Amino acid sequence: MGSRLRGNDSTGLTRAFLPGDCPMSESPLIALAGVTKIFGAGAASMQALRGVNLTINAGEFVAIMGPSGSGKSTCMNILGCLDTPSSGSYRFKGVDVGALERDQRARLRRHYLGFVFQGYNLLSRTSALENVELPLIYRGAPANERHARAERALAAVGLGGWADHTPSELSGGQQQRVAIARAIVTEPAVLLADEPTGNLDSARGREIMELLTTFNRDQGITIVMVTHEPDMAAYARRVVRFFDGVVASDEQRTAQALAEPA
Amino acid sequence: MLWNALLLALRELRRNVMRSFLTILGIVIGVAAVITMVTIGGGATLQVTQQVASLGSNLLMIRTGQRMGPGGGGGGVAFRLADADAIARDVGALAGVAASASQNQTAIVGNESWSTQVTGVDNQFFVVRNWSVASGRQFIDSELRAGKAVCVIGATVRAKLFGAAEPLGNNLRLQKLSCQVIGVLEAKGQSTMGSDQDDLVLLPLRTFQRRISGNQDVRLIQVSVQEGASTEKAQADIERLLRERRHIAGSKEDDFNVMDMKEITRMLTGTTQVLTALLGAVAAVSLLVGGIGIMNIMLVSVTERTREIGIRLAIGAVEREVLTQFLVEAVVLSSFGGVIGIALAIAGSWGLTVYLEVPYVLNPAIIVIAFLFSAAVGVIFGYFPARKAARLDPIEALRHE
């Protein structure tokens, strides 16, 4: 892939990923500039992103909408540092993600990002508590701290008494709440949610959205959420619409509109 | 991190107890086979050594003819009693010199007959072979000098011909010779070569020469060297003396041979060791097969758990951590196999040694080696699947159904 390297010194990058480092106030949390993504090569190649410009500041709650094939999932993968742009730049806290090695991106995810997926993606046959503890294990947290934080996170999503249950013993809504607990247990800078309510009925979906709203409001966690349900997008304060690999519209919702979701 | 990986691995294996067990079966069998083979081999070697020692490890056997392998010889010009006397007189540091001659004969008592080895000896025979009479007595000088018709019989002959009846004082017929049983030898059981040592009838040498063989030949001279004295020196002295007495010129080969029992011990233990090594090698191949089994299951496991690996990678696991997780899992599996195999081998080889009537000699080194080897099998055969897991693309892995 043609990710453009900027000659960053690697020690500086490594330092930037240490936990607890303070964000550089002058740069936005997320800045995409002219990002393209091309899959495949030659005649069979497919251009998923055709120059996306997007800036997201700390504390925002952004919904990304758009028809399937519009590039929103590809964009989420790049935002989540799971993939790198073919060209253009993605700066996370001022750091050029495209120039990072695979393991450096993994460390960035570990310390700054939380993921919630449409299909929950919990470890099967593993208790809710152990699922929530998982990211803390990779952070090297001691066992007692892990337990305490995981239990607090479960309580925060309203599953205080369900710690010992495995995913197969939980309903879809409960499983997604475990997934949210797993995403927020590390107190990430950004929570990336890929159609978090896609597998749930609207009542369960609203519960999930209210949870996300709470974490955004109370803990200041930046949330970027892909959805194609307008009801769910209505919880966000900003809606970005993708069409054909570019940002087609980007609207801030007013405080009044937020007060009474559509 | 390693500790975490260990806990994770144990949890994973507990989830698939049956599969884990079947996976390690190859390693279990391999390790158990290697240790059992080595243990039985070690026991057999010890047994051979012990048996030869019971025969008298200071024993030299002098036969006519050239060496033809263990117990070989025969042929050539026979010795005379005078040769044995000369050895006793001229070679130092000997505990005993026993001249003997043997023939196969049918011994008859009443209606019972039994084909056995009839050997003419004197009382030195009991000394050099470290063999005593269980009931009755040895020969007395007058019987030896006069060539009386008396005999000492082995335990097998006694059982075959007399059954429960009392043999002492009764007669036993060899061809036309009827001789009185004056003693029964202590039972010695099978020899190292597998022959029955107790299947024999001893006559005074003179009686044997006159009444059975009809000549003055002595075919075997057994010499026991005094404790602590060099058997090599005694052997060299005897060879020199006999060459002189048999008029063998400087460059000509000996027409007799002197066999040191120590040499036989070495030969036999050498054979058992080669056999042990061979069986051990076969068992080691099964360890290799076991390792391939582990690799196979680990590959299946990686495919099955692609989604899990995707989750871990998305959450922030680096390649190394995923690699370690799967590698530790493979090593834990194979080490478990090793431990179970060792336990099985300890019990199994004990049972086998009892059954085979071989001493139980457990070699701690082979246990340590087998364990380390099984762990190494896990590392070697677990590495490829673990690397495959670590290099998965998180996006692809998360999409995997």
Side-chain angles (χ1 to χ4, degrees):
Chain A
M1 326 190 157
S3 66
R4 298 175 315 152
L5 300 174
R6 297 251 177 125
N8 283 303
D9 75 305
S10 59
T11 48
L13 289 172
T14 322
R15 213 178 305 127
F17 303 141
L18 290 177
D21 106 291
C22 43
M24 288 168 258
S25 52
E26 65 270 19
S27 46
L29 186 60
I30 286 169
L32 297 178
V35 166
T36 68
K37 185 69 189 178
I38 300 167
F39 293 108
S45 71
M46 199 275 283
Q47 191 163 14
L49 297 179
R50 304 166 186 273
V52 173
N53 297 303
L54 183 63
T55 303
I56 297 171
N57 291 307
E60 284 197 83
F61 186 163
V62 181
I64 294 181
M65 299 188 74
S68 56
S70 62
K72 58 187 193 304
S73 286
T74 306
C75 187
M76 275 301 264
N77 286 338
I78 288 174
L79 288 179
C81 303
L82 294 167
D83 209 346
T84 49
S86 300
S87 72
S89 85
Y90 169 29
R91 290 184 163 270
F92 183 86
K93 288 195 170 201
V95 173
D96 184 4
V97 176
L100 299 183
E101 298 291 324
R102 187 181 142 109
D103 277 355
Q104 287 177 310
R105 281 187 276 123
R107 291 209 169 81
L108 194 152
R109 293 196 292 273
R110 176 188 301 185
H111 291 297
Y112 294 105
L113 303 181
F115 288 91
V116 176
F117 305 95
Q118 178 176 5
Y120 325 133
N121 274 338
L122 299 174
L123 297 189
S124 57
R125 293 177 296 179
T126 305
S127 75
L129 189 73
E130 285 170 337
N131 264 293
V132 177
E133 277 182 36
L134 198 60
L136 296 174
I137 289 176
Y138 289 114
R139 280 193 170 194
N144 47 0
E145 185 196 325
R146 252 175 16 223
H147 285 305
R149 286 177 70 172
E151 269 165 15
R152 249 183 289 140
L154 277 176
V157 298
L159 289 176
W162 298 81
D164 296 332
H165 290 68
T166 60
S168 59
E169 297 164 347
L170 299 170
S171 71
Q174 286 172 321
Q175 287 187 56
Q176 193 60 299
R177 283 200 258 165
V178 174
I180 291 170
R182 182 180 66 188
I184 55 108
V185 74
T186 58
E187 292 161 8
V190 183
L191 190 155
L192 296 160
D194 193 355
E195 307 212 22
T197 59
N199 288 8
L200 302 173
D201 62 44
S202 60
R204 297 290 95 64
R206 273 196 295 280
E207 286 171 19
I208 294 299
M209 290 318 298
E210 265 146 32
L211 261 178
L212 291 180
T213 310
T214 311
F215 287 121
N216 173 248
R217 190 182 58 224
D218 297 350
Q219 297 185 19
I221 296 174
T222 310
I223 296 178
V224 180
M225 173 184 77
V226 167
T227 184
H228 47 230
E229 295 166 87
D231 282 1
M232 302 306 160
Y235 283 87
R237 274 177 288 165
R238 178 180 170 192
V239 178
V240 175
R241 284 175 207 280
F242 271 70
F243 189 78
D244 209 13
V246 291
V247 174
S249 75
D250 184 349
E251 59 188 67
Q252 294 279 349
R253 293 170 61 88
T254 58
Q256 289 90 335
L258 272 175
E260 38 193 277
Chain B
M1 191 178 98
L2 210 62
W3 178 244
N4 273 328
L6 198 69
L7 290 181
L8 260 174
L10 288 175
R11 196 186 290 164
E12 196 52 46
L13 301 186
R14 223 178 31 230
R15 260 181 219 145
N16 273 312
V17 175
M18 192 58 187
R19 182 159 96 182
S20 303
F21 173 73
L22 290 175
T23 306
I24 61 177
L25 207 53
I27 296 279
V28 170
I29 292 171
V31 166
V34 169
I35 297 178
T36 307
M37 289 308 156
V38 171
T39 304
I40 300 287
T45 306
L46 184 69
Q47 188 185 37
V48 167
T49 317
Q50 282 173 346
Q51 277 179 349
V52 174
S54 84
L55 206 68
S57 58
N58 294 328
L59 190 65
L60 298 179
M61 289 195 169
I62 309 158
R63 284 193 172 83
T64 57
Q66 284 170 359
R67 170 80 54 93
M68 288 158 60
V77 181
F79 299 120
R80 299 285 168 214
L81 197 53
D83 292 319
D85 291 341
I87 290 170
R89 195 176 56 240
D90 295 347
V91 179
L94 300 185
V97 178
S100 61
S102 305
Q103 252 186 30
N104 283 323
Q105 286 289 343
T106 304
I108 298 165
V109 172
N111 292 327
E112 304 290 334
S113 72
W114 178 247
S115 175
T116 183
Q117 192 186 45
V118 178
T119 304
V121 297
D122 59 18
N123 283 334
Q124 288 279 298
F125 176 85
F126 303 105
V127 176
V128 299
R129 293 294 297 274
N130 191 22
W131 208 344
S132 54
V133 170
S135 65
R137 58 174 176 82
Q138 299 183 359
F139 304 111
I140 55 175
D141 283 351
S142 62
E143 287 165 347
L144 291 167
R145 264 199 311 275
K148 288 268 176 63
V150 289
C151 60
V152 174
I153 60 176
T156 304
V157 175
R158 180 232 156 110
K160 294 291 179 191
L161 293 180
F162 293 97
E166 175 57 56
L168 292 181
N170 286 316
N171 282 348
L172 170 151
R173 199 153 56 76
L174 297 163
Q175 291 178 334
K176 287 169 211 151
L177 172 69
S178 179
C179 58
Q180 191 187 20
V181 178
I182 57 164
V184 178
L185 286 165
E186 204 172 56
K188 274 209 171 186
Q190 288 215 329
S191 80
T192 320
M193 313 299 292
S195 61
D196 183 357
Q197 298 183 84
D198 299 320
D199 188 7
L200 85 173
V201 172
L202 298 176
L203 293 175
L205 182 59
R206 192 153 289 174
T207 317
F208 178 86
Q209 290 174 333
R210 279 190 199 151
R211 312 286 292 270
I212 306 286
S213 67
N215 57 38
Q216 297 295 305
D217 293 356
V218 167
R219 284 288 168 186
L220 171 67
I221 302 173
Q222 297 176 88
V223 170
S224 75
V225 181
Q226 280 173 10
E227 204 64 51
S230 156
T231 52
E232 284 80 9
K233 181 177 181 303
Q235 182 171 355
D237 288 349
I238 290 166
E239 278 168 356
R240 196 170 339 103
L241 178 67
L242 286 176
R243 281 177 75 87
E244 200 179 294
R245 289 180 66 82
R246 292 161 79 83
H247 311 293
I248 301 168
S251 62
K252 280 221 286 195
E253 295 231 358
D254 293 349
D255 63 353
F256 63 93
N257 68 79
V258 181
M259 200 161 15
D260 188 343
M261 288 312 285
K262 269 196 211 136
E263 219 178 295
I264 299 180
T265 315
R266 269 197 298 275
M267 218 161 62
L268 290 172
T269 52
T271 312
T272 43
Q273 275 159 5
V274 167
L275 267 173
T276 304
L278 219 81
L279 290 171
V282 171
V285 169
S286 73
L287 256 182
L288 190 77
V289 174
I292 294 169
I294 286 196
M295 176 152 77
N296 185 21
I297 288 298
M298 288 307 294
L299 279 172
V300 170
S301 177
V302 167
T303 307
E304 269 184 5
R305 288 155 66 191
T306 298
R307 214 178 159 84
E308 175 197 325
I309 296 163
I311 295 168
R312 290 177 184 279
L313 288 169
I315 277 172
V318 294
E319 263 183 48
R320 240 185 108 80
E321 287 163 333
V322 176
L323 183 93
T324 309
Q325 183 191 340
F326 280 86
L327 204 54
V328 166
E329 215 173 292
V331 173
V332 166
L333 256 181
S334 65
S335 309
F336 257 130
V339 169
I340 295 172
I342 287 168
L344 265 182
I346 289 174
S349 58
W350 181 79
L352 263 177
T353 50
V354 168
Y355 176 71
L356 294 171
E357 295 175 350
V358 166
Y360 184 51
V361 212
L362 201 58
N363 183 353
I366 193 70
I367 290 179
V368 173
I369 290 170
F371 179 77
L372 292 180
F373 197 84
S374 62
V377 162
V379 174
I380 293 163
F381 291 98
Y383 182 78
F384 174 64
R387 201 188 59 172
K388 190 183 165 202
R391 295 207 173 157
L392 284 176
D393 175 12
I395 299 170
E396 293 292 324
L398 280 170
R399 246 181 246 146
H400 190 266
E401 281 307 315

PDB file of all heavy atoms in Angstrom, chain B residues 169-195:
ATOM      1  N   GLY B 169      20.741 -91.913  47.176  1.00  0.00           N
ATOM      2  CA  GLY B 169      20.884 -93.346  47.442  1.00  0.00           C
ATOM      3  C   GLY B 169      20.314 -94.220  46.352  1.00  0.00           C
ATOM      4  O   GLY B 169      20.615 -95.405  46.271  1.00  0.00           O
ATOM      5  N   ASN B 170      19.481 -93.641  45.476  1.00  0.00           N
ATOM      6  CA  ASN B 170      18.925 -94.434  44.391  1.00  0.00           C
ATOM      7  C   ASN B 170      19.837 -94.402  43.173  1.00  0.00           C
ATOM      8  O   ASN B 170      20.686 -93.525  43.037  1.00  0.00           O
ATOM      9  CB  ASN B 170      17.539 -93.939  44.018  1.00  0.00           C
ATOM     10  CG  ASN B 170      16.506 -94.324  45.064  1.00  0.00           C
ATOM     11  OD1 ASN B 170      16.515 -95.470  45.537  1.00  0.00           O
ATOM     12  ND2 ASN B 170      15.680 -93.377  45.453  1.00  0.00           N
ATOM     13  N   ASN B 171      19.594 -95.331  42.256  1.00  0.00           N
ATOM     14  CA  ASN B 171      20.455 -95.434  41.084  1.00  0.00           C
ATOM     15  C   ASN B 171      19.832 -94.802  39.857  1.00  0.00           C
ATOM     16  O   ASN B 171      18.609 -94.734  39.708  1.00  0.00           O
ATOM     17  CB  ASN B 171      20.778 -96.898  40.796  1.00  0.00           C
ATOM     18  CG  ASN B 171      21.854 -97.400  41.744  1.00  0.00           C
ATOM     19  OD1 ASN B 171      22.490 -96.605  42.442  1.00  0.00           O
ATOM     20  ND2 ASN B 171      22.032 -98.705  41.789  1.00  0.00           N
ATOM     21  N   LEU B 172      20.738 -94.368  38.974  1.00  0.00           N
ATOM     22  CA  LEU B 172      20.357 -93.725  37.725  1.00  0.00           C
ATOM     23  C   LEU B 172      21.210 -94.406  36.671  1.00  0.00           C
ATOM     24  O   LEU B 172      22.385 -94.683  36.903  1.00  0.00           O
ATOM     25  CB  LEU B 172      20.658 -92.245  37.889  1.00  0.00           C
ATOM     26  CG  LEU B 172      20.619 -91.241  36.764  1.00  0.00           C
ATOM     27  CD1 LEU B 172      20.258 -89.893  37.369  1.00  0.00           C
ATOM     28  CD2 LEU B 172      21.926 -91.130  36.041  1.00  0.00           C
ATOM     29  N   ARG B 173      20.600 -94.754  35.513  1.00  0.00           N
ATOM     30  CA  ARG B 173      21.350 -95.495  34.508  1.00  0.00           C
ATOM     31  C   ARG B 173      21.711 -94.607  33.330  1.00  0.00           C
ATOM     32  O   ARG B 173      20.903 -93.875  32.792  1.00  0.00           O
ATOM     33  CB  ARG B 173      20.535 -96.701  34.020  1.00  0.00           C
ATOM     34  CG  ARG B 173      21.359 -97.779  33.332  1.00  0.00           C
ATOM     35  CD  ARG B 173      20.686 -99.140  33.479  1.00  0.00           C
ATOM     36  NE  ARG B 173      19.318 -99.138  32.968  1.00  0.00           N
ATOM     37  CZ  ARG B 173      19.003 -99.157  31.669  1.00  0.00           C
ATOM     38  NH1 ARG B 173      19.948 -99.176  30.756  1.00  0.00           N
ATOM     39  NH2 ARG B 173      17.741 -99.163  31.293  1.00  0.00           N
ATOM     40  N   LEU B 174      23.025 -94.636  32.959  1.00  0.00           N
ATOM     41  CA  LEU B 174      23.523 -93.945  31.775  1.00  0.00           C
ATOM     42  C   LEU B 174      24.150 -95.019  30.910  1.00  0.00           C
ATOM     43  O   LEU B 174      25.135 -95.640  31.310  1.00  0.00           O
ATOM     44  CB  LEU B 174      24.590 -92.922  32.159  1.00  0.00           C
ATOM     45  CG  LEU B 174      24.159 -91.767  33.073  1.00  0.00           C
ATOM     46  CD1 LEU B 174      25.379 -91.098  33.689  1.00  0.00           C
ATOM     47  CD2 LEU B 174      23.314 -90.772  32.309  1.00  0.00           C
ATOM     48  N   GLN B 175      23.582 -95.295  29.718  1.00  0.00           N
ATOM     49  CA  GLN B 175      24.017 -96.429  28.903  1.00  0.00           C
ATOM     50  C   GLN B 175      24.063 -97.669  29.805  1.00  0.00           C
ATOM     51  O   GLN B 175      23.088 -98.022  30.437  1.00  0.00           O
ATOM     52  CB  GLN B 175      25.373 -96.144  28.250  1.00  0.00           C
ATOM     53  CG  GLN B 175      25.283 -95.080  27.179  1.00  0.00           C
ATOM     54  CD  GLN B 175      26.633 -94.775  26.567  1.00  0.00           C
ATOM     55  OE1 GLN B 175      27.683 -94.967  27.190  1.00  0.00           O
ATOM     56  NE2 GLN B 175      26.605 -94.304  25.340  1.00  0.00           N
ATOM     57  N   LYS B 176      25.287 -98.265  29.888  1.00  0.00           N
ATOM     58  CA  LYS B 176      25.397 -99.489  30.693  1.00  0.00           C
ATOM     59  C   LYS B 176      25.810 -99.185  32.121  1.00  0.00           C
ATOM     60  O   LYS B 176      25.922-100.067  32.950  1.00  0.00           O
ATOM     61  CB  LYS B 176      26.425-100.435  30.049  1.00  0.00           C
ATOM     62  CG  LYS B 176      25.907-101.079  28.787  1.00  0.00           C
ATOM     63  CD  LYS B 176      27.063-101.775  28.079  1.00  0.00           C
ATOM     64  CE  LYS B 176      26.877-101.769  26.588  1.00  0.00           C
ATOM     65  NZ  LYS B 176      28.136-101.770  25.860  1.00  0.00           N
ATOM     66  N   LEU B 177      26.073 -97.883  32.369  1.00  0.00           N
ATOM     67  CA  LEU B 177      26.572 -97.508  33.697  1.00  0.00           C
ATOM     68  C   LEU B 177      25.409 -97.202  34.637  1.00  0.00           C
ATOM     69  O   LEU B 177      24.542 -96.378  34.339  1.00  0.00           O
ATOM     70  CB  LEU B 177      27.471 -96.271  33.574  1.00  0.00           C
ATOM     71  CG  LEU B 177      27.914 -95.633  34.881  1.00  0.00           C
ATOM     72  CD1 LEU B 177      28.902 -96.533  35.626  1.00  0.00           C
ATOM     73  CD2 LEU B 177      28.519 -94.268  34.636  1.00  0.00           C
ATOM     74  N   SER B 178      25.391 -97.880  35.744  1.00  0.00           N
ATOM     75  CA  SER B 178      24.395 -97.573  36.755  1.00  0.00           C
ATOM     76  C   SER B 178      25.120 -96.858  37.893  1.00  0.00           C
ATOM     77  O   SER B 178      26.074 -97.387  38.452  1.00  0.00           O
ATOM     78  CB  SER B 178      23.758 -98.873  37.256  1.00  0.00           C
ATOM     79  OG  SER B 178      22.814 -98.552  38.241  1.00  0.00           O
ATOM     80  N   CYS B 179      24.698 -95.603  38.166  1.00  0.00           N
ATOM     81  CA  CYS B 179      25.424 -94.880  39.219  1.00  0.00           C
ATOM     82  C   CYS B 179      24.482 -94.400  40.299  1.00  0.00           C
ATOM     83  O   CYS B 179      23.308 -94.094  40.049  1.00  0.00           O
ATOM     84  CB  CYS B 179      26.249 -93.747  38.622  1.00  0.00           C
ATOM     85  SG  CYS B 179      25.290 -92.574  37.699  1.00  0.00           S
ATOM     86  N   GLN B 180      25.032 -94.296  41.485  1.00  0.00           N
ATOM     87  CA  GLN B 180      24.228 -93.925  42.644  1.00  0.00           C
ATOM     88  C   GLN B 180      24.207 -92.411  42.812  1.00  0.00           C
ATOM     89  O   GLN B 180      25.253 -91.755  42.709  1.00  0.00           O
ATOM     90  CB  GLN B 180      24.832 -94.583  43.884  1.00  0.00           C
ATOM     91  CG  GLN B 180      23.925 -94.465  45.080  1.00  0.00           C
ATOM     92  CD  GLN B 180      24.611 -94.958  46.333  1.00  0.00           C
ATOM     93  OE1 GLN B 180      25.854 -95.036  46.402  1.00  0.00           O
ATOM     94  NE2 GLN B 180      23.826 -95.294  47.336  1.00  0.00           N
ATOM     95  N   VAL B 181      23.041 -91.864  43.066  1.00  0.00           N
ATOM     96  CA  VAL B 181      22.925 -90.413  43.282  1.00  0.00           C
ATOM     97  C   VAL B 181      23.361 -90.104  44.708  1.00  0.00           C
ATOM     98  O   VAL B 181      22.814 -90.644  45.665  1.00  0.00           O
ATOM     99  CB  VAL B 181      21.474 -89.939  43.050  1.00  0.00           C
ATOM    100  CG1 VAL B 181      21.354 -88.445  43.334  1.00  0.00           C
ATOM    101  CG2 VAL B 181      21.029 -90.248  41.625  1.00  0.00           C
ATOM    102  N   ILE B 182      24.386 -89.225  44.806  1.00  0.00           N
ATOM    103  CA  ILE B 182      24.870 -88.883  46.154  1.00  0.00           C
ATOM    104  C   ILE B 182      24.564 -87.432  46.516  1.00  0.00           C
ATOM    105  O   ILE B 182      24.719 -87.010  47.651  1.00  0.00           O
ATOM    106  CB  ILE B 182      26.396 -89.118  46.281  1.00  0.00           C
ATOM    107  CG1 ILE B 182      27.139 -88.293  45.210  1.00  0.00           C
ATOM    108  CG2 ILE B 182      26.724 -90.604  46.183  1.00  0.00           C
ATOM    109  CD1 ILE B 182      28.621 -88.159  45.501  1.00  0.00           C
ATOM    110  N   GLY B 183      24.131 -86.649  45.501  1.00  0.00           N
ATOM    111  CA  GLY B 183      23.842 -85.236  45.818  1.00  0.00           C
ATOM    112  C   GLY B 183      22.941 -84.610  44.765  1.00  0.00           C
ATOM    113  O   GLY B 183      22.861 -85.086  43.631  1.00  0.00           O
ATOM    114  N   VAL B 184      22.246 -83.561  45.180  1.00  0.00           N
ATOM    115  CA  VAL B 184      21.422 -82.776  44.255  1.00  0.00           C
ATOM    116  C   VAL B 184      21.910 -81.333  44.334  1.00  0.00           C
ATOM    117  O   VAL B 184      22.060 -80.776  45.427  1.00  0.00           O
ATOM    118  CB  VAL B 184      19.931 -82.851  44.622  1.00  0.00           C
ATOM    119  CG1 VAL B 184      19.109 -81.987  43.659  1.00  0.00           C
ATOM    120  CG2 VAL B 184      19.436 -84.292  44.584  1.00  0.00           C
ATOM    121  N   LEU B 185      22.179 -80.735  43.144  1.00  0.00           N
ATOM    122  CA  LEU B 185      22.685 -79.355  43.101  1.00  0.00           C
ATOM    123  C   LEU B 185      21.589 -78.338  43.413  1.00  0.00           C
ATOM    124  O   LEU B 185      20.407 -78.578  43.158  1.00  0.00           O
ATOM    125  CB  LEU B 185      23.264 -79.060  41.715  1.00  0.00           C
ATOM    126  CG  LEU B 185      24.610 -79.703  41.388  1.00  0.00           C
ATOM    127  CD1 LEU B 185      24.856 -79.620  39.887  1.00  0.00           C
ATOM    128  CD2 LEU B 185      25.727 -79.023  42.159  1.00  0.00           C
ATOM    129  N   GLU B 186      22.027 -77.237  43.923  1.00  0.00           N
ATOM    130  CA  GLU B 186      21.176 -76.071  44.115  1.00  0.00           C
ATOM    131  C   GLU B 186      20.656 -75.629  42.738  1.00  0.00           C
ATOM    132  O   GLU B 186      21.399 -75.657  41.763  1.00  0.00           O
ATOM    133  CB  GLU B 186      22.117 -74.984  44.627  1.00  0.00           C
ATOM    134  CG  GLU B 186      21.537 -73.885  45.408  1.00  0.00           C
ATOM    135  CD  GLU B 186      22.682 -73.042  45.970  1.00  0.00           C
ATOM    136  OE1 GLU B 186      23.512 -72.570  45.167  1.00  0.00           O
ATOM    137  OE2 GLU B 186      22.743 -72.906  47.193  1.00  0.00           O
ATOM    138  N   ALA B 187      19.390 -75.210  42.682  1.00  0.00           N
ATOM    139  CA  ALA B 187      18.845 -74.768  41.389  1.00  0.00           C
ATOM    140  C   ALA B 187      19.426 -73.409  41.005  1.00  0.00           C
ATOM    141  O   ALA B 187      19.528 -72.515  41.843  1.00  0.00           O
ATOM    142  CB  ALA B 187      17.333 -74.687  41.482  1.00  0.00           C
ATOM    143  N   LYS B 188      19.819 -73.255  39.710  1.00  0.00           N
ATOM    144  CA  LYS B 188      20.361 -71.964  39.252  1.00  0.00           C
ATOM    145  C   LYS B 188      19.471 -71.275  38.225  1.00  0.00           C
ATOM    146  O   LYS B 188      19.652 -70.104  37.924  1.00  0.00           O
ATOM    147  CB  LYS B 188      21.751 -72.169  38.632  1.00  0.00           C
ATOM    148  CG  LYS B 188      22.874 -72.147  39.663  1.00  0.00           C
ATOM    149  CD  LYS B 188      24.156 -71.647  39.052  1.00  0.00           C
ATOM    150  CE  LYS B 188      25.205 -71.423  40.145  1.00  0.00           C
ATOM    151  NZ  LYS B 188      26.418 -70.818  39.627  1.00  0.00           N
ATOM    152  N   GLY B 189      18.547 -72.049  37.655  1.00  0.00           N
ATOM    153  CA  GLY B 189      17.648 -71.452  36.669  1.00  0.00           C
ATOM    154  C   GLY B 189      18.295 -71.309  35.309  1.00  0.00           C
ATOM    155  O   GLY B 189      19.319 -71.909  35.018  1.00  0.00           O
ATOM    156  N   GLN B 190      17.666 -70.453  34.476  1.00  0.00           N
ATOM    157  CA  GLN B 190      18.147 -70.274  33.111  1.00  0.00           C
ATOM    158  C   GLN B 190      19.462 -69.511  33.084  1.00  0.00           C
ATOM    159  O   GLN B 190      19.696 -68.639  33.897  1.00  0.00           O
ATOM    160  CB  GLN B 190      17.117 -69.473  32.318  1.00  0.00           C
ATOM    161  CG  GLN B 190      15.875 -70.266  32.001  1.00  0.00           C
ATOM    162  CD  GLN B 190      15.326 -69.894  30.655  1.00  0.00           C
ATOM    163  OE1 GLN B 190      15.463 -68.754  30.226  1.00  0.00           O
ATOM    164  NE2 GLN B 190      14.712 -70.830  29.984  1.00  0.00           N
ATOM    165  N   SER B 191      20.293 -69.852  32.123  1.00  0.00           N
ATOM    166  CA  SER B 191      21.533 -69.102  31.962  1.00  0.00           C
ATOM    167  C   SER B 191      21.256 -67.876  31.104  1.00  0.00           C
ATOM    168  O   SER B 191      20.163 -67.699  30.577  1.00  0.00           O
ATOM    169  CB  SER B 191      22.587 -69.963  31.279  1.00  0.00           C
ATOM    170  OG  SER B 191      22.354 -69.980  29.895  1.00  0.00           O
ATOM    171  N   THR B 192      22.242 -67.021  30.979  1.00  0.00           N
ATOM    172  CA  THR B 192      22.126 -65.813  30.171  1.00  0.00           C
ATOM    173  C   THR B 192      21.758 -66.150  28.736  1.00  0.00           C
ATOM    174  O   THR B 192      21.044 -65.414  28.064  1.00  0.00           O
ATOM    175  CB  THR B 192      23.481 -65.094  30.147  1.00  0.00           C
ATOM    176  OG1 THR B 192      24.025 -65.180  31.450  1.00  0.00           O
ATOM    177  CG2 THR B 192      23.341 -63.679  29.732  1.00  0.00           C
ATOM    178  N   MET B 193      22.255 -67.290  28.270  1.00  0.00           N
ATOM    179  CA  MET B 193      22.015 -67.657  26.880  1.00  0.00           C
ATOM    180  C   MET B 193      20.681 -68.364  26.725  1.00  0.00           C
ATOM    181  O   MET B 193      20.319 -68.797  25.637  1.00  0.00           O
ATOM    182  CB  MET B 193      23.124 -68.586  26.366  1.00  0.00           C
ATOM    183  CG  MET B 193      24.519 -68.122  26.686  1.00  0.00           C
ATOM    184  SD  MET B 193      24.894 -66.505  25.956  1.00  0.00           S
ATOM    185  CE  MET B 193      24.918 -66.961  24.242  1.00  0.00           C
ATOM    186  N   GLY B 194      19.960 -68.560  27.808  1.00  0.00           N
ATOM    187  CA  GLY B 194      18.640 -69.149  27.729  1.00  0.00           C
ATOM    188  C   GLY B 194      18.598 -70.646  27.953  1.00  0.00           C
ATOM    189  O   GLY B 194      17.535 -71.254  27.907  1.00  0.00           O
ATOM    190  N   SER B 195      19.743 -71.276  28.181  1.00  0.00           N
ATOM    191  CA  SER B 195      19.715 -72.723  28.416  1.00  0.00           C
ATOM    192  C   SER B 195      19.484 -73.010  29.901  1.00  0.00           C
ATOM    193  O   SER B 195      19.741 -72.172  30.754  1.00  0.00           O
ATOM    194  CB  SER B 195      21.020 -73.359  27.951  1.00  0.00           C
ATOM    195  OG  SER B 195      22.089 -72.812  28.682  1.00  0.00           O
TER     196      SER B 195
END
